[in-house]
Amino acid sequence: MIRKCLFPAAGYGTRFLPATKAMPKEMLPVMAKPLIQYGVEEAVEAGMDTMAIITGRGKRAIEDHFDISYELEHQIKGTSKEYLLQEIRDLIGRCTFTYTRQIEMRGLGDAILKGRVLIGEEPFAVVLADDLCTNPEGAGILEQMRKIYEKYRCSIVAVQEVPEKQVHKYGIVAGKAIDERLTMVEMMVEKPSAEEAPSNLAIIGRYILTPDIFELIEKTEPGKGGEIQITDALMAQAQKGMVIAYRFEGRRFDCGSIDGFVEATNYFYHRNREE
Ligand code: UTP
């Protein structure tokens, strides 16, 4: 059983300045819902009940969002707007939220390692909330990944094909095909040039990790950009045992970029109108 989901949310979100000067990027709303709430809902759908959030300076709004606001509850009680709080109230009632801070932004690998005190020695999911994922046809991305984990019991990374000119923005994987959607990872490179890239399969912000990853991150030296890269630790894991890349069903919006954020907003706006 995977019960815990880690949300690394300590990054500065510089692509969204000045909006992210005093507000966490994870609180940017698509429609009226903050990005991180979509991520928590996806984790709950996959059966998880403990949300472990890695925060940093200026991220207090995340903690306040997943808490009761007594003043607001008092103001809104009995009015026609009360239903607007129902969804978040239900979510808070179903999960436990735990937090720790990453003091220095030393990279995603380091942020995940900081989560060790919240996770312990069990398999866990990781959601990068600025990657907004949805599958209108069926199960959410984490639920799809949980099922694959149940079968293979190893780390799983969600991947999608990207155009060649975008490979330099992602961790890129290559390996042996298990079936149409699954690849046994043999090679993983962080942000390669188009010439260096072993494929166009890009890792997106959904992972299921086995707890031995923590020791592998501890041994990982700073890589691309001087940051501790989760890709390097996963490559070590793939060499020692097994890591699977999964081409998920559904859509993913890169809401850490203005283009992806606007695309997601348009998509959810039209979907909500049709419903
Ligand atoms: P990004 O590469 O999107 O970085 O991090 P960022 O700082 O959030 O955004 P930009 O590029 O400056 O606009 C990917 C994810 O990893 C987390 C971020 O919060 C984001 O969810 N992260 C990254 C950390 O928690 N700590 C780090 O040291 C780095």
Side-chain angles (χ1 to χ4, degrees), residues 29-50:
V30 166
M31 304 293 286
K33 199 190 289 184
L35 290 172
I36 195 160
Q37 189 177 332
Y38 287 94
V40 171
E41 286 174 0
E42 193 184 321
V44 168
E45 183 210 345
M48 297 162 207
D49 63 6
T50 304

Side-chain angles (χ1 to χ4, degrees), residues 25-168:
K25 158 170 87 170
E26 294 75 15
M27 289 300 294
L28 289 170
V30 166
M31 304 293 286
K33 199 190 289 184
L35 290 172
I36 195 160
Q37 189 177 332
Y38 287 94
V40 171
E41 286 174 0
E42 193 184 321
V44 168
E45 183 210 345
M48 297 162 207
D49 63 6
T50 304
M51 307 301 147
I53 305 181
I54 310 298
T55 64
R57 283 174 292 281
K59 301 277 184 169
R60 293 263 307 266
I62 298 177
E63 289 175 54
D64 290 341
H65 185 68
F66 295 113
D67 196 357
I68 295 287
S69 161
Y70 283 107
E71 267 177 48
L72 188 60
E73 292 286 335
H74 178 73
Q75 279 284 332
I76 218 165
K77 203 172 169 51
T79 73
S80 60
K81 290 187 188 149
E82 199 174 353
Y83 77 97
L84 293 169
L85 280 182
Q86 202 50 52
E87 213 174 44
I88 181 71
R89 277 182 188 156
D90 290 348
L91 205 58
I92 294 167
R94 291 175 69 171
C95 309
T96 302
F97 293 87
T98 62
Y99 299 87
T100 191
R101 277 193 182 200
Q102 185 189 22
I103 305 296
E104 282 177 278
M105 303 311 123
R106 298 180 61 218
L108 179 57
D110 180 65
I112 292 175
L113 183 58
K114 291 288 173 292
R116 188 179 202 170
V117 345
L118 307 176
I119 300 292
E121 294 302 310
E122 55 184 283
F124 60 102
V126 176
V127 167
L128 305 186
D130 48 354
D131 266 346
L132 178 49
C133 293
T134 179
N135 181 22
E137 309 297 332
I141 317 301
L142 274 188
E143 170 61 4
Q144 296 169 34
M145 292 173 77
R146 185 192 62 77
K147 288 202 182 116
I148 296 160
Y149 173 79
E150 298 289 320
K151 182 163 173 204
Y152 291 95
R153 303 266 158 189
C154 67
S155 290
I156 321 277
V157 297
V159 292
Q160 80 176 147
E161 286 174 30
V162 296
E164 200 184 89
K165 56 178 185 304
Q166 284 187 22
V167 291
H168 69 279

